[in-house]
Amino acid sequence: MKHILLLEDDADVSSVLVHLLEEEKYYVSTTSRVGNAREFLERVKVDLFIADVLLPDGTAFAAVDTAKQKDVPYFLITGSLAHMAELEANGQFHLSKPFKLNEFLGAVRDRIGPGDGSGRN
């Protein structure tokens, strides 16, 4: 079963994305804290890391560094115009909020393929 870690502090956004991913048969773990995401990535094998850029305890970039060290594919989501410009300038793939759910699923499938198990949280 393909395992996704979602780092998102907005409970409504997180809930929608988890539901969508579980319907597509991915296993999803969630957190709203950068520190928790970094620890999780250190301890647990995941197939994909998806992170909102701006979070209550900082930016997702530290957790992205951990994902890179573990060779975990990732992508970022953000509604911040400044961060969008920074990501684009660095050639880093991201989705700008608000995004269409089919774009989101397309980004997931491009990185790890279709889900293959029964979704659960």
Side-chain angles (χ1 to χ4, degrees):
M1 184 180 319
K2 294 177 183 170
H3 188 178
I4 297 172
L5 174 60
L6 175 65
L7 173 58
E8 171 61 65
D9 64 315
D10 184 311
D12 292 332
V13 171
S14 182
S15 178
V16 168
L17 295 180
V18 167
H19 180 75
L20 179 68
L21 291 167
E22 288 179 342
E23 280 188 345
E24 294 294 316
K25 307 298 185 209
Y26 296 102
Y27 177 72
V28 184
S29 297
T30 62
T31 185
S32 61
R33 311 290 291 180
V34 175
N36 292 348
R38 290 184 74 192
E39 290 174 21
F40 195 91
L41 288 163
E42 287 287 344
R43 293 184 294 107
V44 179
K45 182 187 179 325
V46 298
D47 298 293
L48 179 63
F49 176 51
I50 304 168
D52 188 5
V53 174
L54 293 176
L55 298 144
D57 61 336
T59 64
F61 298 121
V64 166
D65 288 343
T66 302
K68 287 178 183 177
Q69 291 169 0
K70 296 291 185 175
D71 293 321
V72 174
Y74 69 92
F75 68 88
L76 299 167
I77 54 178
T78 187
S80 162
L81 293 176
H83 283 104
M84 283 181 225
E86 178 183 345
L87 293 169
E88 287 171 9
N90 292 324
Q92 199 164 29
F93 177 81
H94 66 284
L95 290 177
S96 301
K97 290 180 180 178
F99 48 80
K100 294 181 178 164
L101 295 179
N102 63 342
E103 290 176 308
F104 177 82
L105 280 178
V108 170
R109 289 182 191 126
D110 284 349
R111 279 151 188 79
I112 62 172
D116 60 359
S118 56
R120 58 189 170 117
N121 190 9

